[in-house]
Amino acid sequence: MDKKNIWIVANWKSNKNLSEALSWVSVVGPRVEKRPNLKVVVCPSFIDLEEVKKAVLVGNFPLLVGAQDLSEYDVGAHTGEEAAKLLKEFVDLAILGHSERRQGGETDTDVAKKVLMAKTHQIEPLVCLQNEQTPVPDQVSLVAFEPITAIGTGQPDTPDDANGVAKKIKQQVPGVEVLYGGSVTSENAKAFLQQDNLNGLLIGTAALDPEEFVKIVEVSYGV
Ligand code: PGA
């Protein structure tokens, strides 16, 4: 049997100006090993996407670039929106339905529309789920279980509970890969990555420090 994929996804949220972003890539890029089942993704703010993508290409680093959201609309007269067709130039993946966006009013219907846009333009949607009841739109094959109480609080879920929720999600959506997110650090990463039903990690705070993020990537080599 093929070894399962391990996704290590950095969500910078609304942090890092351009020079900080490029400095992070220059530290992390050379230290990520090329491994067939390892997918390391960095998700900068929209304004940093183009330069981060360039830095990854120039350095020939095994890093994928992702957006933290995208528009539910196609290209056109939509002031301030970021259309999937335009983002595709720079990104392989988009985080959709993050709870910080849902708290700002984003609905399951909005998320489903965004998934459709992502799929239309060959961007992999990574849909965030608060629990096993959050609907997973059609055609989604990558999700992150992110309990709200664990996000940015320093209080992660237990690996066992996360594994149990991931198992339920997989029963409902056969073939889906499930990541865990919420207060992941280099200290607890291994315990999550070792769970049978988890396929990786979505990391906020600990992904801001390049050294800490590299440590988490290195943990993945050993599982
Ligand atoms: P955190 O954020 O690692 O800071 O808890 C995770 C996330 O929001 O994706």
Side-chain angles (χ1 to χ4, degrees):
M1 204 178 85
D2 285 344
K3 209 168 170 243
K4 67 177 183 180
N5 283 330
I6 298 183
W7 295 83
I8 309 284
V9 183
N11 175 11
W12 288 350
K13 309 190 179 181
S14 196
N15 291 293
K16 293 199 186 296
N17 62 25
L18 184 54
S19 72
E20 290 162 345
L22 294 178
S23 153
W24 187 100
V25 173
S26 72
V27 174
V28 173
R31 289 165 63 191
V32 177
E33 289 181 11
K34 289 192 176 70
R35 291 171 170 242
N37 298 90
L38 176 65
K39 295 176 189 299
V40 181
V41 189
V42 57
C43 302
S45 59
F46 288 123
I47 51 165
D48 292 341
L49 282 175
E50 180 170 3
E51 291 297 323
V52 165
K53 178 69 183 178
K54 264 193 225 162
V56 167
L57 288 175
V58 169
N60 194 24
F61 301 135
L63 289 176
L64 299 170
V65 178
Q68 298 173 18
D69 184 31
L70 50 72
S71 178
E72 66 186 75
Y73 306 112
D74 211 337
V75 286
H78 305 291
T79 302
E81 293 287 335
E82 303 285 349
K85 186 176 182 184
L86 308 181
L87 285 169
K88 178 57 195 171
E89 222 176 308
F90 311 117
V91 310
D92 309 290
L93 172 151
I95 298 171
L96 297 179
H98 191 282
S99 60
E100 287 156 8
R101 299 201 55 79
R102 293 180 193 259
Q103 274 157 16
E106 193 162 290
T107 65
D108 293 333
T109 311
D110 299 333
V111 175
K113 286 183 191 162
K114 291 177 179 196
V115 165
L116 210 57
M117 278 298 150
K119 293 300 272 188
T120 303
H121 297 287
Q122 290 79 48
I123 294 171
E124 175 87 57
L126 166 54
V127 176
C128 298
L129 314 177
Q130 284 65 61
N131 53 53
E132 68 271 23
Q133 268 124 41
T134 313
V136 178
D138 285 349
Q139 302 187 65
V140 169
S141 53
L142 187 64
V143 301
F145 165 52
E146 294 211 313
I148 293 184
T149 52
I151 295 179
T153 58
Q155 300 191 316
D157 196 4
T158 63
D160 195 47
D161 185 70
N163 189 51
V165 174
K167 188 174 176 187
K168 286 185 201 155
I169 295 168
K170 287 182 170 186
Q171 282 161 353
Q172 292 164 16
V173 188
V176 75
E177 292 181 290
V178 184
L179 317 189
Y180 167 75
S183 299
V184 171
T185 64
S186 60
E187 300 286 311
N188 62 27
K190 186 169 183 185
F192 287 104
L193 289 174
Q194 281 175 332
Q195 302 299 318
D196 284 350
N197 292 291
L198 292 176
N199 303 87
L201 304 166
L202 175 53
I203 307 154
T205 313
L208 293 175
D209 173 2
E211 291 297 336
E212 170 71 355
F213 185 73
V214 166
K215 273 194 209 161
I216 297 174
V217 173
E218 286 169 353
V219 165
S220 80
Y221 303 156
V223 294

